[in-house]
Amino acid sequence: MRSDKVNRITKTVLAFLFWMLVWELCALKVGKELILPDPFAVFRTLGELVTTGKFWLSTLTTILRIIAGYLLGIILGILFSVLTCTFKTADALISPLIRIIRATPVASFIILALLWMGKNYVPLFMSLLMVLPIVWGNITEAYRNTDERLIEMGRAYSFSRMKMFLYIYVPSVLPGLKAACMTSVGLAWKSGIAAEVLSQPKFAMGSQLYYSKIYLETASLFAWTEVVIILSFLIEKIFKYGFEKLFARIMK
Amino acid sequence: MKIEHLSFAYGDKIIFKDLSLDLDGKLYSLTGDSGVGKTTLLKLIGGLLVPDKGNITDAPRTPSFMFQEDRLLPWINVRKNISLVTDDTEKMEELLRTLDIDGDLMPTELSGGMARRVALIRALCYRGDALLLDEPFNGMDEKLTDKCIELILKEDKFTVVSAHQSEVHVKLGSQIIHL
C-alpha cells in the first residue's frame, strides 16, 4: 500500500520533470522570452508575484467570487429542479430556458452580462450559469428515475407528502446532486476566470492574465496561468473531499 | 367484500374480464399460474390499481400491503424502515425478536429470506384493517414459514395471501381462490 503511494508520487514527479525539460528545450529552441519564456523565468516571476499584496487580493477575490457563483448555482439548480418536478407549468417554462443556457456560448453570455451588470458580478454570474444546468439536469433526471416501486410502497403505507419527500425522493436524487456538485467545480472555476479576463474587474486573477497579455509580460502570463491551474486543482480536491464527507453524512 | 363484474387490463393485455367474487370470509389464498393476475388482484383489492370496469364493495380502507418485492428503503436501517409505518415500537421490537432480525442492519445486508421477514414485520406493524400479502414466504424455510403463519393468524384480520407453495394454504386454513 505504502510502496504504491511512493510509486505514484515518483511517477508524478518524473512526469513533471519530463514536461519541465520539454518546456525548457522548447524555450531554448524558440529563444524569445516574449513568445515562450523558460520555466525558471516563470517561476522567478511567480516568486516575485507572491510577495505582492495585489497577488493575494486578486487571488482571494477571485476565489470568493467563483465560490459564491458556484454555491448560488447549486442553490438555484436545486430550486429550479424542485419547481420543474412539482409543477408542470414550471417544467414547461424552465426546461427550454435551461436548454438555451446550455446551447449558448460562454463568450456570448459574458458579453451580455457585461451589458446587464457591473463587471465585478460577471464572473460570479458566469460560474452560476455553468453550474445551474448541471445541477438542474442531474436532480430532475434522478427525480424522474425514482424507483416507482418505492413510490407505490409509500402510497400503500399512506406516507405523508413530507415523508415521501424526505425518505424516498431526497435519497433518490442525492447521488445525482453529488455528481453534479463534483463535476461542476472545475467548470465554474474555468468559466469564472474566462469571465474575469473579458470583464476585467479591479482585483481578479483573470484581469491580471489580461494585463500580462496587454503589456506583453509573457512570463507573468505563464505565472498567473500556473496559479490558476494549481488553485483549480486544489479547489476541486477540497470540494470533492468536502462533498464526499457531506453526502456520506446526509445519506446516513 | 364483494368483487362485481371486474375488468382490468394493462394496455392491450387483458388480466380480468367480468370477474365476480364473494369474499365474505376472513382468510383467502390466491392460487394460479404465474402471470394470471394474483398480484394485480391484490393491488385492486388494496386500491393501488383502479378497475377498468366493475367495482369492489366493502374493500379494506387501509390495508397492510406486502409486495412481491421487499421494497425496503435501502438508505435506512431495518428498524427505521418499519418505524416509518408505525409508532408501536413495542410490537416492532417483539416481532423483530420473534423472527430473529437485527433491527440495526441495513436492507443491503439482509439475505432474501431476512428481507421478506422484515417486509412482513412492516406489514404486521402497520395499523391496517386487512393484510394483503404477495408471496410472503419466499426464501423462508419451513420453520420460519410456520412462525410467520402463526403471526399472520394472530393478527385476526381480513387476509388475502398469494403464495405458490400449496402446503401454505393448508396451514393457513384459508379458502382458496384459483384464478
XYZ file of all heavy atoms in Angstrom, chain A residues 46 49-50 55 59 63 189 193 205 220-234:
202
model
N 6.815 34.203 -10.680
C 5.816 33.745 -9.707
C 6.280 34.070 -8.281
O 5.488 34.540 -7.454
C 5.597 32.228 -9.878
C 4.535 31.589 -9.003
C 3.161 32.185 -9.273
C 4.474 30.069 -9.259
N 5.705 37.616 -7.717
C 4.274 37.924 -7.603
C 3.726 37.647 -6.208
O 2.978 38.457 -5.665
C 3.472 37.078 -8.608
C 3.277 37.617 -10.016
C 2.524 36.585 -10.857
C 2.483 38.910 -9.981
N 4.114 36.506 -5.648
C 3.514 36.110 -4.355
C 3.928 37.038 -3.210
O 3.323 36.989 -2.140
C 3.836 34.640 -3.966
C 3.168 33.672 -4.912
C 5.320 34.379 -3.880
N -1.284 40.363 -5.609
C -1.441 38.934 -5.913
C -2.473 38.296 -4.982
O -3.412 37.642 -5.423
C -0.084 38.220 -5.774
C -0.188 36.720 -5.860
C -0.193 36.083 -7.086
C -0.299 35.934 -4.708
C -0.305 34.703 -7.169
C -0.410 34.558 -4.789
C -0.398 33.949 -6.019
N -6.162 36.997 -5.956
C -6.439 35.562 -5.811
C -7.640 35.331 -4.898
O -8.558 34.583 -5.238
C -5.197 34.844 -5.243
O -4.082 35.184 -6.069
C -5.369 33.349 -5.216
N -11.285 33.741 -5.876
C -11.786 32.513 -5.223
C -13.181 32.776 -4.636
O -14.106 31.982 -4.862
C -10.804 32.037 -4.124
C -9.504 31.537 -4.773
C -11.425 30.930 -3.279
C -8.408 31.198 -3.784
N -14.943 27.165 -12.061
C -13.653 27.836 -11.920
C -13.179 28.387 -13.267
O -12.849 29.567 -13.397
C -12.644 26.842 -11.331
C -11.266 27.396 -11.155
C -10.166 27.111 -11.888
C -10.839 28.352 -10.163
N -9.086 27.812 -11.435
C -9.465 28.585 -10.372
C -11.478 29.041 -9.132
C -8.724 29.471 -9.595
C -10.734 29.916 -8.349
C -9.381 30.126 -8.579
N -12.929 32.382 -14.434
C -11.662 33.018 -14.837
C -11.814 33.636 -16.236
O -11.393 34.774 -16.482
C -10.498 31.996 -14.836
C -10.256 31.427 -13.429
C -9.224 32.608 -15.419
C -9.527 32.309 -12.466
N -7.854 37.470 -10.802
C -6.773 36.745 -11.472
C -6.910 36.858 -12.993
O -5.915 36.982 -13.704
C -6.820 35.275 -11.052
C -6.488 35.085 -9.581
S -6.803 33.423 -9.034
C -5.369 32.630 -9.706
N 4.820 36.637 -16.816
C 3.756 36.904 -15.843
C 2.470 36.163 -16.252
O 1.771 35.601 -15.403
C 3.514 38.411 -15.778
O 2.373 38.673 -15.026
N 2.196 36.146 -17.551
C 1.019 35.420 -18.066
C 1.106 33.938 -17.698
O 0.139 33.337 -17.223
C 0.961 35.594 -19.589
C -0.211 34.963 -20.319
C -1.520 35.647 -19.965
C -0.005 35.041 -21.831
N 2.309 33.387 -17.895
C 2.517 31.978 -17.546
C 2.397 31.767 -16.039
O 1.808 30.786 -15.588
C 3.904 31.520 -18.032
C 3.881 30.960 -19.422
C 3.698 31.776 -20.533
C 4.037 29.595 -19.643
C 3.666 31.267 -21.807
C 3.996 29.063 -20.924
C 3.822 29.907 -22.003
N 2.956 32.712 -15.270
C 2.929 32.575 -13.806
C 1.490 32.595 -13.297
O 1.096 31.746 -12.486
C 3.726 33.709 -13.164
N 0.694 33.535 -13.803
C -0.717 33.593 -13.388
C -1.466 32.330 -13.829
O -2.306 31.812 -13.097
C -1.409 34.833 -13.971
C -1.178 36.064 -13.134
C -0.404 37.134 -13.445
C -1.704 36.322 -11.827
N -0.412 38.049 -12.429
C -1.218 37.585 -11.414
C -2.541 35.622 -10.964
C -1.525 38.155 -10.188
C -2.863 36.193 -9.741
C -2.361 37.434 -9.363
N -1.154 31.842 -15.025
C -1.807 30.609 -15.504
C -1.469 29.444 -14.578
O -2.324 28.619 -14.255
C -1.359 30.298 -16.945
O -1.540 31.464 -17.729
C -2.135 29.144 -17.533
N -0.213 29.417 -14.144
C 0.190 28.356 -13.203
C -0.637 28.428 -11.921
O -1.102 27.408 -11.415
C 1.669 28.504 -12.859
C 2.552 27.684 -13.767
C 4.021 27.907 -13.485
O 4.371 28.508 -12.448
O 4.824 27.480 -14.333
N -0.815 29.648 -11.422
C -1.602 29.821 -10.193
C -3.043 29.361 -10.421
O -3.628 28.674 -9.580
C -1.574 31.303 -9.719
C -2.411 31.476 -8.466
C -0.149 31.745 -9.455
N -3.593 29.712 -11.582
C -4.972 29.299 -11.911
C -5.059 27.768 -11.900
O -5.987 27.190 -11.316
C -5.400 29.851 -13.296
C -6.704 29.223 -13.751
C -5.543 31.358 -13.249
N -4.079 27.121 -12.508
C -4.099 25.648 -12.588
C -3.970 25.036 -11.196
O -4.736 24.144 -10.817
C -2.963 25.135 -13.517
C -3.236 25.581 -14.967
C -2.827 23.626 -13.433
C -2.055 25.409 -15.906
N -3.006 25.556 -10.422
C -2.797 24.996 -9.074
C -4.052 25.179 -8.224
O -4.516 24.245 -7.559
C -1.569 25.663 -8.397
C -0.283 25.239 -9.134
C -1.478 25.280 -6.917
C 0.934 26.079 -8.810
N -4.629 26.371 -8.276
C -5.841 26.623 -7.477
C -7.016 25.782 -7.955
O -7.800 25.284 -7.147
C -6.210 28.104 -7.531
C -5.394 29.009 -6.598
C -5.799 30.449 -6.788
C -5.598 28.602 -5.140
N -7.127 25.619 -9.273
C -8.205 24.785 -9.820
C -8.094 23.369 -9.254
O -9.065 22.788 -8.785
C -8.096 24.762 -11.345
O -8.907 23.763 -11.870
N -6.870 22.856 -9.269
C -6.607 21.517 -8.752
C -6.959 21.442 -7.262
O -7.656 20.527 -6.820
C -5.119 21.199 -8.993
C -4.701 19.859 -8.502
C -5.035 18.707 -9.204
C -3.962 19.733 -7.329
C -4.649 17.460 -8.745
C -3.574 18.483 -6.869
C -3.913 17.356 -7.574
N -6.480 22.433 -6.496
C -6.713 22.424 -5.042
C -8.197 22.562 -4.707
O -8.724 21.821 -3.879
C -5.944 23.582 -4.386
C -4.446 23.355 -4.171
C -3.818 24.601 -3.557
C -4.190 22.155 -3.277
